[in-house]
Amino acid sequence: MRRKIILNLAISIDGYIASEDGGFDWIVGDGDNKLDTEKKWNYDEFLKGIDTVVMGKSCYDQNFHKDFKNKKVYVATSKVLENHDNVHFISGDICKVIEEERKKEGKDIFLFGGGILVDSFIKKDIIDEYIIGIIPTILGKGRPLFLENNPKIDLHLDEYIMENGIAILRYSKR
């Protein structure tokens, strides 16, 4: 079975994945569980199906790679940097590298972020699944998930989970 590239992240209602300074302390629910679904989101369970994580250099600089010590981590960067431990720096076409990685045996590939990195995957239309947590916050400004001039990509809603005011939507390509 072919490995999937799965984008999994949170966005504000107005489409931002981080504040202007890269902050994410706003990624919290609203404290109201009246609309919660029976099924809950289990991030740890999600990670069990992943053996490769892809992130941008800003995420790396915020030490997010340390959360994935038992997984292969690819970091997109414009600089040539020395690989270390489980971290592989890619200064070329990250999409091409990950498409080659996808052909190998293994678990799914977690497209972690940021926006510029994700944009390259959207433009090549190689994301198989989108898991988006919509946070009940309007940031007003910040780092957007979707940049301009994307292709039209039709999706199918496979699952939804409501928890603490956060809507988690899982889509696959149609």
Side-chain angles (χ1 to χ4, degrees):
M1 189 159 116
R2 186 173 112 138
R3 298 168 74 186
K4 293 186 288 187
I5 298 173
I6 302 172
L7 172 66
N8 183 353
L9 48 69
I11 64 169
S12 62
I13 287 177
D14 52 347
Y16 296 105
I17 59 173
S19 60
E20 285 183 306
D21 64 358
F24 51 90
D25 58 337
W26 54 272
I27 300 178
V28 295
D30 65 8
D32 186 350
N33 61 6
K34 287 189 301 250
L35 296 175
D36 282 11
T37 54
E38 192 171 315
K39 182 171 183 181
K40 304 296 180 215
W41 175 248
N42 188 328
Y43 183 69
D44 292 332
E45 196 62 35
F46 166 75
L47 288 179
K48 287 180 186 175
I50 300 295
D51 65 4
T52 304
V53 179
V54 185
M55 66 179 65
K57 182 71 166 54
S58 293
C59 290
Y60 174 82
D61 290 341
Q62 292 180 56
N63 289 317
F64 285 117
H65 65 286
K66 292 181 178 180
D67 295 339
F68 307 108
K69 291 181 188 236
N70 63 339
K71 303 189 185 301
K72 184 184 255 185
V73 176
Y74 286 99
V75 178
T77 178
S78 59
K79 299 176 182 166
V80 176
L81 299 171
E82 191 73 28
N83 296 341
H84 64 84
D85 303 318
N86 62 321
V87 178
H88 306 269
F89 294 98
I90 307 299
S91 60
D93 184 347
I94 187 74
C95 292
K96 184 177 180 182
V97 170
I98 298 306
E99 285 193 285
E100 286 302 311
E101 178 71 27
R102 173 197 326 231
K103 294 175 185 175
K104 299 174 186 172
E105 279 295 312
K107 297 179 181 180
D108 290 330
I109 300 166
F110 178 10
L111 182 55
F112 182 78
I116 294 170
L117 170 71
V118 171
D119 186 63
S120 62
F121 282 78
I122 291 171
K123 286 192 174 25
K124 295 233 178 166
D125 191 13
I126 58 173
I127 300 171
D128 300 294
E129 198 171 293
Y130 294 75
I131 301 172
I132 308 292
I134 301 174
I135 307 303
T137 298
I138 296 173
L139 279 181
K141 57 186 173 179
R143 297 180 183 176
L145 171 57
F146 299 106
L147 305 181
E148 295 182 4
N149 301 314
N150 291 317
K152 179 179 180 284
I153 302 172
D154 293 317
L155 303 174
H156 177 267
L157 179 62
D158 297 315
E159 179 179 36
Y160 68 91
I161 296 170
M162 284 294 302
E163 189 170 350
N164 199 17
I166 299 171
I168 300 168
L169 308 171
R170 188 171 60 83
Y171 292 97
S172 59
K173 289 195 331 190
R174 292 193 252 156

